[in-house]
Amino acid sequence: MYTYFFVLAALLYVACGFLPSRQRIVLSAGTALAWLLHGGALWADMIAPGTLRIGFAIVLSATLWVSVAAFWLENRNFSLDGLRVLVLPTAAVAVVLPVLFPGSVVPLEGKSSLFPWHIAIAILAYSTLTIAAFHAMLMAVQESRLHTPSEASKGGWLDVAIERLPALLTMERLLFRLIAFGFGLLTLTVLSGVVFSEQLFGMAFKWDHKTIFTMLSWALFGLLLAGRFWRGWRGKTALRFTLTGFATLLLAYVGSRFVLEVVLHRSLT
C-alpha cells in the first residue's frame, strides 16, 4: 500500500518543483505534505520488527528525504527558491526508486542496538552533504551569471530564481556551515563504521571500495575546511572541492550498491 504513497509524494515533489515561485504558501504546504508522505512510506518500507531493509535506492531516497527537510527549513530563513528546482525534482526521482529496487533485508538479531544509529548518522551525513552539493551548484550558476550576464535568458524562470538568492558571500557562508556540519556527521559515520565493521564483516576494519571512497571523501571535505580556515579558500576552489567530495561520497555507498544490486544482482550488506 505504501507504494501509492511513494508515487503520490513524487507527483507532489514534481508539482512543487515547477510551480511559480510567487505561490509560496502552496509550495510550502505541498512540499511539507510530500515530505510527510515520503517519510511515512519510507519508514514502513525500511523498518520491520527485528529487520532493516537496506539498499542503494532506499538510502538514496532517505538521503533526499532529509535533504528536502533541510531545504524547507533553510528556505524559511533565506530566499533559496533556486534550490527548490534542483532538490524537489531530484527527490521525485529518488522517492520511487525503492519500488523498483527494493534492496535486501538485514536481520538485526545479534547486532548491537546502536547499529541502526550508525545507519541513521550515515544518512544524515549524506543528506547534509547532498544539500551542500546542490547549494554549490546553485552558487556556480549564480557566480557565472554575475560575470557573464545573458540578455537572451534575462527574465527567465531560472534568472528570477537566481536574482532572489542571497548575496554570494551569504551563500558561501551557508555552504561552509553545511559542509562543517556534514563533515562532523561523516566523521561520526566513519568512527561508528569501524566499531560495527567486526559485526558486519568479521574483521576490525575492511578496506573495500566503499571504505576507500568514504575515506577519500572525508579527506577532501576535511582539507576544504582546513584550507578555508588557514588559507581562506573560497569561490571556485571551494565549489570544486565540494562537488568532488560529494561525487566521491556518492560512489562510496550508493554507487557501489547500485553495481552490486542492479549490475551484479548481489544482495550483500
Side-chain angles (χ1 to χ4, degrees), residues 43-87:
W43 180 276
D45 192 31
M46 285 184 68
I47 299 173
T51 63
L52 187 67
R53 184 180 296 277
I54 293 294
F56 88 92
I58 291 174
V59 169
L60 190 60
S61 182
T63 295
L64 265 297
W65 180 71
V66 179
S67 297
V68 169
F71 153 74
W72 191 85
L73 292 171
E74 195 175 45
N75 195 45
R76 295 177 68 86
N77 299 318
F78 301 93
S79 180
L80 297 174
D81 196 60
L83 202 58
R84 170 174 63 93
V85 298
L86 293 175
V87 175

Side-chain angles (χ1 to χ4, degrees), residues 176-191:
F176 276 98
R177 190 167 67 184
L178 286 168
I179 292 173
F181 184 61
F183 178 74
L185 290 171
L186 188 60
T187 302
L188 289 176
T189 301
V190 171
L191 293 175

Side-chain angles (χ1 to χ4, degrees), residues 18-171:
F18 295 103
L19 278 174
S21 58
R22 62 180 177 272
Q23 300 183 17
R24 290 185 61 85
I25 296 177
V26 174
L27 289 172
S28 181
T31 302
L33 178 58
W35 182 81
L36 290 172
L37 289 170
H38 185 179
L42 202 58
W43 180 276
D45 192 31
M46 285 184 68
I47 299 173
T51 63
L52 187 67
R53 184 180 296 277
I54 293 294
F56 88 92
I58 291 174
V59 169
L60 190 60
S61 182
T63 295
L64 265 297
W65 180 71
V66 179
S67 297
V68 169
F71 153 74
W72 191 85
L73 292 171
E74 195 175 45
N75 195 45
R76 295 177 68 86
N77 299 318
F78 301 93
S79 180
L80 297 174
D81 196 60
L83 202 58
R84 170 174 63 93
V85 298
L86 293 175
V87 175
L88 296 189
T90 306
V93 175
V95 72
V96 296
L97 285 179
V99 178
L100 303 174
F101 306 102
S104 55
V105 175
V106 178
L108 297 179
E109 184 179 357
K111 290 183 172 61
S112 169
S113 60
L114 296 178
F115 175 70
W117 287 102
H118 165 69
I119 302 298
I121 292 170
I123 290 174
L124 284 173
Y126 294 165
S127 304
T128 305
L129 294 172
T130 296
I131 204 73
F134 282 128
H135 202 98
M137 287 188 281
L138 201 59
M139 284 179 61
V141 176
Q142 186 181 20
E143 187 176 26
S144 175
R145 294 300 174 93
L146 287 175
H147 290 100
T148 56
S150 173
E151 291 295 329
S153 62
K154 192 173 181 180
W157 64 271
L158 183 58
D159 291 88
V160 173
I162 295 298
E163 287 174 4
R164 292 179 177 176
L165 289 174
L168 197 56
L169 287 176
T170 302
M171 292 284 286

Side-chain angles (χ1 to χ4, degrees), residues 192-214:
S192 60
V194 173
V195 173
F196 292 113
S197 181
E198 189 166 359
Q199 291 188 15
L200 288 172
F201 307 112
M203 60 182 68
F205 200 71
K206 183 177 181 180
W207 282 102
D208 56 9
H209 48 275
K210 183 172 69 175
T211 303
I212 291 170
F213 279 124
T214 300

